Amino acid sequence: MKMLRSCRLLLWQVALRLSYNVVIASLCREGSDIFTSVRENSPTGEFISSINITAGPRANTIRLCLSGRNANWFYLEGRTIRLNSSVFRVLDREVEGSVLIAELICYENDIIQGNYRILVEILNENDNKPNFLLETIQPFTISELTAVNSVVFTVKAVDADGDMISYIIDPSSQDAEFFRIDLPNTGKVVLNKPLDYETRTHLQLIMWAQESNTVDKFNTSAVLNINIEDGDDQYPHFLPCTPVSPGVPVCMNPTYTTNITQKHQDVGLDFSPGPITAEDGDKGINAPLTYTILSGDDQGRFTINNTTGEIRLTRAADDQRLTTNYMLTIMVCQVDDRLKYSVASVLVRVLYENAFPPAFNRTTYKGFIIQSSSPASIVSTYGNQVLQVQVSDRDFPDGRNPNIHYLLHPPSELYQVTKEGVLIAKTNQLRAFDRQILQVIARDEESGEEVSASVDIEVLQRGQAVPSGAFKEQQLFGDVDSTLAGGIAVLILIVLLSAILFLLLWTVHRRRVQNPEDRPAIAFGKHPNVVSSPPVFVDESSHGSRAFTRQSGSFHGRQGVYTRRPSLLPPPSSSQLSEPGESRTRPPLPPPSSSSHLFTVAEKHEGGAHTWEDLRLPVEPASIHGEDIPAVNTGMPQRDENMKTD
């Protein structure tokens, strides 16, 4: 019986447990799979989905958990699933893919009662720029012979967001004019104009890849380097190359010239402007060349080296030739393509022996130029003469060599020399007191001989005169302004005149303050044989002061008339020497002498005016009042201290 009860109790317990499990299982199985979406770059905690499993009031406790490949991108918050991202871990569709897959498991008493799938689609955002594929933007080479309008290269870019891309050539690129894109979405670049290796060997281009189906229009750029490969499209040309015009790679072949004499034979010839040589126009190919004399070799008198282009004279020039020149025509062509060729002329002149070199008449010339606004002026020399540098050649009867060519070495931007040896200066570019020393070279174009001389040019300021000689005023005032020099000269002259005037005034003043007895005796009627040494006489009277000097044998004064008589006159009487109211006494004069005489002056009154007469007196000793008066040999009267004066 007890056994039966125990069995029944056990059965009831099993039945109760089974009924409980059925109730719980029905709760976990009420859920369903979760299908939802979330935008990439969403912040942490972003809502993903809600769980529709809820436990009843009498149900046992259930437990939910997440598992699966992308379960770490989610976490549970109650019955809610949220995004598990962070600042350092951003949900990126381009990295994680387009879908996140996880699993929701429902447990009861650690027994799995439900299992649900979680599928979360990552919605794309335009957060990536296009990127060029490196293999499509590497440097590459194209031939200069590539045809225009042909596709030369293709670029490719990708966008991680899967956006459509279009390609653009940056118009500001240095060489954008050479290329174009006809179909923007293909990335195929077409040659727009011909290429020329001789002009450009390297091109550079900037390409843009841009989103075409988005609002943001994200883009990126890349720099493409294109190397040009030389093609065989140019002809050879002789050197030196003279371009036809700037920017045009076409050369004008030179004319090679040389001079020989009748004694030259079996020698290599040296030519001007250089040795005979040529080069391939395609410098990148540099094809081998060969030289040939087309005409003018004079039956083998001239030969040419086919490889180097050297011309040799095999036999001497013929004395009986009517012409003194040989004209040759030479051709150079490519060895592998003789249709690519070029032709040049060679002139060989036969000259007589050159015995004397040309020579300047001096080693240094002196030149002057006056500053002005004129664009050009002729340089002058001393005396304002035109400066002309010339050479003489004794090989010519008159010394004038017509083959002389003048040039400046080194060439000057301010001066030029004519074929006659006249220097011309750009005056408006010169400044006063500048000084240049130029070297003039005279070259005999026929013989090739050269001589040189120096020209010392000094720039004078406006208004300054050109010096007249090499050892004149320019040595004293070489660097002084002419106006300043004139001012200094005027100042010196004023000082000298002031000094002379001061001395004259001082002398006059000194004579005025002397004792009347020391004044000249002639003015007061002294003995005529007494000579006064001072050349200046002053007579002060009631009519005013009277001064007179002896100049060139005549006398001049303000009061009276002074005359000079060529012959002796009889001595005047006392009545003639005295004025009314006055008494004068004069001793008798000795008789005249024919051998020697002197000149003196006596005063007489004629109509109230003083008249001075010139008396010719003997020079033998005379006596006055018993005193001997010595004779003198001067025409000037001297003062006698023993004579009394009025």
Side-chain angles (χ1 to χ4, degrees):
M1 197 62 173
K2 288 183 179 180
M3 288 291 294
L4 184 59
R5 270 181 197 174
S6 298
C7 289
R8 288 179 178 177
L9 181 61
L10 182 60
L11 290 172
W12 276 103
Q13 290 177 349
V14 172
L16 289 172
R17 184 173 295 275
L18 289 174
S19 63
Y20 177 74
N21 288 337
V22 170
V23 173
I24 295 302
S26 63
L27 292 175
C28 282
R29 291 171 182 170
E30 291 179 359
S32 62
D33 294 336
I34 299 174
F35 299 95
T36 186
S37 62
V38 64
R39 298 188 69 84
E40 64 175 331
N41 304 315
S42 295
T44 182
E46 179 75 11
F47 175 80
I48 301 298
S49 177
S50 297
I51 302 174
N52 56 6
I53 299 176
T54 57
R58 296 174 56 186
N60 292 332
T61 303
I62 63 175
R63 183 166 56 90
L64 301 173
C65 65
L66 298 172
S67 66
R69 184 180 66 183
N70 304 120
N72 59 339
W73 281 104
F74 309 103
Y75 69 91
L76 294 172
E77 189 181 68
R79 293 293 188 267
T80 302
I81 301 175
R82 296 187 177 276
L83 181 65
N84 185 25
S85 64
S86 65
V87 177
F88 305 101
R89 196 168 71 113
V90 178
L91 181 61
D92 190 354
R93 187 177 188 272
E94 290 72 35
V95 176
E96 302 298 333
S98 59
V99 177
L100 294 177
I101 300 175
E103 190 176 14
L104 178 64
I105 301 175
C106 181
Y107 289 90
E108 180 192 358
N109 297 329
D110 297 330
I111 298 174
I112 299 176
Q113 298 297 329
N115 195 336
Y116 305 100
R117 291 181 302 168
I118 302 176
L119 298 177
V120 179
E121 180 185 9
I122 302 176
L123 300 179
N124 186 35
E125 284 189 342
N126 189 22
D127 59 347
N128 291 283
K129 295 182 179 180
N131 291 313
F132 282 98
L133 299 179
L134 293 178
E135 59 270 18
T136 65
I137 58 174
Q138 294 298 318
F140 57 93
T141 301
I142 58 177
S143 174
E144 67 169 334
L145 303 180
T146 302
V148 178
N149 299 325
S150 61
V151 177
V152 290
F153 60 92
T154 302
V155 294
K156 182 69 175 177
V158 295
D159 190 309
D161 298 323
D163 299 321
M164 185 179 295
I165 299 174
S166 60
Y167 302 91
I168 304 170
I169 296 176
D170 193 333
S172 65
S173 302
Q174 180 180 359
D175 303 308
E177 59 182 349
F178 287 93
F179 306 97
R180 72 175 189 270
I181 295 179
D182 294 334
L183 300 174
N185 294 331
T186 62
K188 294 182 178 181
V189 180
V190 179
L191 184 63
N192 190 48
K193 62 182 295 186
L195 302 175
D196 185 13
Y197 177 86
E198 285 68 36
T199 304
R200 299 289 301 277
T201 61
H202 176 80
L203 302 177
Q204 193 174 77
L205 194 66
I206 299 177
M207 295 286 299
W208 289 90
Q210 178 177 290
E211 297 174 350
S212 58
N213 62 337
T214 63
V215 178
D216 299 320
K217 301 293 182 182
F218 289 146
N219 56 56
T220 188
S221 64
V223 178
L224 282 74
N225 294 302
I226 303 103
N227 298 316
I228 307 301
E229 183 180 24
D230 195 8
D232 192 5
D233 62 340
Q234 298 292 327
Y235 283 47
H237 56 262
F238 287 93
L239 299 178
C241 171
T242 303
V244 175
S245 61
V248 179
V250 178
C251 298
M252 292 187 298
N253 292 327
T255 298
Y256 297 97
T257 60
T258 188
N259 301 326
I260 61 174
T261 62
Q262 294 178 357
K263 71 176 184 180
H264 286 94
Q265 63 179 350
D266 196 20
V267 293
L269 302 181
D270 295 328
F271 291 91
S272 175
I276 296 177
T277 183
E279 66 178 6
D280 185 11
D282 300 308
K283 297 180 180 179
I285 299 177
N286 197 20
L289 306 175
T290 182
Y291 301 87
T292 307
I293 297 179
L294 296 180
S295 63
D297 63 344
D298 196 23
Q299 298 179 356
R301 188 184 301 274
F302 300 96
T303 60
I304 190 169
N305 187 308
N306 295 335
T307 303
T308 64
E310 180 188 18
I311 293 181
R312 294 187 65 85
L313 176 66
T314 59
R315 61 180 187 270
D318 190 357
D319 292 342
Q320 304 301 323
R321 282 179 53 86
L322 298 178
T323 178
T324 58
N325 296 334
Y326 294 93
M327 182 62 72
L328 289 75
T329 302
I330 58 176
M331 181 184 72
V332 63
C333 61
Q334 293 183 196
V335 174
D336 58 349
D337 187 357
R338 291 185 176 269
L339 294 178
K340 291 184 172 64
Y341 67 91
S342 185
V343 177
S345 298
V346 175
L347 174 63
V348 180
R349 292 188 293 242
V350 182
L351 308 177
Y352 291 101
E353 292 294 329
N354 186 16
F356 300 98
F360 283 99
N361 57 359
R362 64 181 63 185
T363 58
T364 303
Y365 294 85
K366 182 64 178 179
F368 301 93
I369 191 74
I370 300 176
Q371 181 190 20
S372 70
S373 58
S374 175
S377 298
I378 296 177
V379 178
S380 60
T381 186
Y382 294 112
N384 203 20
Q385 300 296 319
V386 175
L387 176 62
Q388 187 175 17
V389 294
Q390 286 187 334
V391 296
S392 60
D393 193 338
R394 289 190 292 170
D395 291 321
F396 295 84
D398 59 353
R400 298 295 299 274
N401 186 345
N403 300 311
I404 291 296
H405 175 69
Y406 298 96
L407 67 153
L408 298 177
H409 181 76
S412 174
E413 296 181 355
L414 302 178
Y415 296 92
Q416 291 181 353
V417 60
T418 66
K419 63 180 181 179
E420 292 81 12
V422 177
L423 287 170
I424 300 176
K426 296 181 179 179
T427 321
N428 55 359
Q429 299 184 23
L430 300 176
R431 297 179 299 177
F433 309 113
D434 283 351
R435 189 174 182 180
Q436 291 90 19
I437 297 179
L438 307 178
Q439 184 180 18
V440 180
I441 295 193
R443 176 185 297 160
D444 188 342
E445 295 295 335
E446 187 176 74
S447 65
E449 293 178 316
E450 293 183 353
V451 290
S452 64
S454 298
V455 181
D456 184 359
I457 299 178
E458 183 177 348
V459 181
L460 306 178
Q461 66 177 359
R462 298 175 187 268
Q464 185 176 356
V466 175
S468 59
F471 302 98
K472 300 295 182 181
E473 62 273 11
Q474 72 274 12
Q475 290 188 348
L476 298 177
F477 304 101
D479 297 325
V480 180
D481 189 320
S482 60
T483 305
L484 180 59
I488 294 175
V490 171
L491 181 60
I492 293 175
L493 181 61
I494 292 175
V495 172
L496 290 177
L497 292 177
S498 300
I500 293 173
L501 182 61
F502 174 76
L503 291 176
L504 291 175
L505 294 177
W506 180 79
T507 303
V508 171
H509 176 72
R510 182 178 179 183
R511 293 193 176 279
R512 285 180 178 178
V513 298
Q514 286 180 349
N515 192 320
E517 295 181 357
D518 296 332
R519 295 179 182 176
I522 298 300
F524 297 97
K526 282 201 170 187
H527 195 283
N529 288 345
V530 180
V531 180
S532 179
S533 60
V536 179
F537 305 93
V538 180
D539 184 16
E540 297 178 358
S541 64
S542 61
H543 299 286
S545 61
R546 181 168 59 238
F548 55 90
T549 59
R550 180 172 179 258
Q551 299 177 353
S552 304
S554 64
F555 295 90
H556 306 277
R558 293 189 308 171
Q559 301 294 335
V561 179
Y562 306 93
T563 61
R564 183 176 190 135
R565 296 184 181 179
S567 62
L568 292 176
L569 296 177
S573 63
S574 61
S575 61
Q576 292 175 333
L577 296 176
S578 61
E579 295 180 0
E582 294 184 1
S583 62
R584 287 179 182 264
T585 60
R586 180 176 296 275
L589 296 176
S593 173
S594 60
S595 61
S596 61
H597 61 271
L598 61 84
F599 298 96
T600 186
V601 179
E603 182 183 11
K604 72 175 181 177
H605 296 278
E606 296 178 357
H610 293 279
T611 301
W612 296 87
E613 296 182 353
D614 210 357
L615 304 180
R616 187 177 302 273
L617 300 179
V619 295
E620 285 83 10
S623 63
I624 299 177
H625 300 290
E627 296 180 3
D628 293 333
I629 300 176
V632 294
N633 289 326
T634 178
M636 296 296 296
Q638 294 185 0
R639 187 171 56 212
D640 189 352
E641 299 296 341
N642 295 325
M643 297 294 295
K644 294 183 181 180
T645 61
D646 264 341

